[in-house]
Amino acid sequence: MASIEEFDPLNTRVPATKIEVTVSCRSLLDVDTFSKSDPVVVLYLQAVGTKEWREFGRTEVIDNTRNPDFVRKFVLDFFFEEKQNLRFDVYNVDSRSCNISKHVMLTLFDFLGQTFCTLGEIIGSAGGRQERTLSGIPGKKCGVIILTAEELSNCRDIATMQLCANKLDKKDFFGKSDPFLVFYRSNEDGTFTICHKTEVIKNTLNPVWQPFTIPVRALCNGDYDRTVKVEVYDWDRDGSHDFIGEFTTSYRELSRGQNQFNVYEVLNPKKKGKKKKYVNSGTVTLLSFKVESEYTFVDFIRGGTQLNFTVAIDFTASNGNPSQPTSLHYMSPYQMNAYAMALKAVGEIIQDYDSDKLFPAYGFGAKLPPDGKISHAFPLSGDGDNPNCVGIEGVLEAYFQSLRTVQLYGPTNFAPVINKVANCAAEITDGSQYFVLLMITDGVISDMVQTKEAVVNASPLPLSIIIVGVGPAEFDAMEELDGDEVRVSSRGRLAERDIVQFVPFRDYIDRSGNQVLSMARLAKDVLAEIPDQLLSFMKSRGIEPRPALSSSPLPEFHRHI
């Protein structure tokens, strides 16, 4: 029996969707003496912590061609909030009798070239199609590889169901039971992952639960015959909920509930073993079941929606003198400071979904040369007409340069930067762009009233705000802006959507020194809500994704000789 206290939505790793990657190559090297090459492509995935490359799968071998279109596809779980590094190696299988199954050593084959990319880069390319040059053999042109990403159709399905129970076991001494259901999907290794909990119905043995909606991928991860386990509990105030019984089903079986009532016996294995006359601990009936298709984050990205990433960095004096090792802005020759680490961790993922890789970057709370005027939204580039930096490395460079030229001062005002980005977002009404503002700060907000008003005003716009708090300060007030529990309000107006996500950087400092893994966790936690926030905006405005951007046909053979 699984523990129901372990439900942590951030750690259950339900993929945003499943992506099918199709591979083609053009103008491959010709290494066979009397014929063309017999190519195969091997895909490797990189582990986040160890950086180790692990083989994921292989295409089939296609004989005698330099321009293969492989039929066998790679199906990958897609996590927007993670940087999923991929490596594609191309080999020539030089013996027809050679088996290319996964256990055959690749050293037996001729290496034809390789490319590195992220899954996000392929999805973020026009039409989900990316053409990349193969490399890895000095002095040789290795040809090109064409990677196309497509979302599997069943990942957009949303199931809505309602259940009731009859004659459940009585668990409470002075009353009946307070039953609720817990749904688990099975994993490949035989373990179970919690995916839904119903509400508690008080003091009844015949509860009728409210209808609920769940993504089909969360229920079965795309495998309609995968076991779904449902446990029935009697709720107790102290958290020691009493187990009543369980039953198993599958998505395919549940879906039959569209045309019939599904009735499941609730069985308690302990009672079944002890009592000869034991029949069951009640029954659960599926009263209704329907499936609808919804647009997904990938639909909008493939349709051309761009994520516009903006950075705002705290230059207030409370950070300490940047020339001193105790400063949060100190530039050590050995390690990035917290500002740079947070910026790099988040930015490197988002940049895959922004085609021009130009990122506006601002500072706030500093005195600017030459006259010492305080600014709460100055461009790190130093160019008032163009705040854009080229790539995340460009943002980091501009940040380090600003530390040498401005004077850290104060106060810590958020509203000016939020309003500046909100004004840009307000100009976009067609869903073609969605803005993500990353604010990194060391202290308590000085203009909380104005900041709340700015957030409420921005909540109807295509904008999400990520706040990372660095340093030892208490960030209790920040939780007010993160509307997970209570929606932000200003002057009696509630925010239309929850658009703010706050995390303290100190929660991600890895005591063992593995900063790569801890920064991956930081990026995962702050970015996990972005796809749903984008979808909630699009839905609230009735915006549908455009058809996937047309991609040009595969290049002809002679173009890459």
Side-chain angles (χ1 to χ4, degrees), residues 308-309 354-360 386 388-391:
N308 283 352
F309 183 47
D354 187 331
S355 59
D356 65 13
K357 305 289 187 281
L358 296 176
F359 306 122
N386 181 14
N388 290 332
C389 300
V390 180

Side-chain angles (χ1 to χ4, degrees), residues 337-365:
N337 64 37
Y339 281 91
M341 282 197 284
L343 168 57
K344 198 169 193 291
V346 177
E348 282 190 340
I349 291 172
I350 289 189
Q351 70 177 352
D352 289 345
Y353 306 90
D354 187 331
S355 59
D356 65 13
K357 305 289 187 281
L358 296 176
F359 306 122
Y362 298 96
F364 56 92

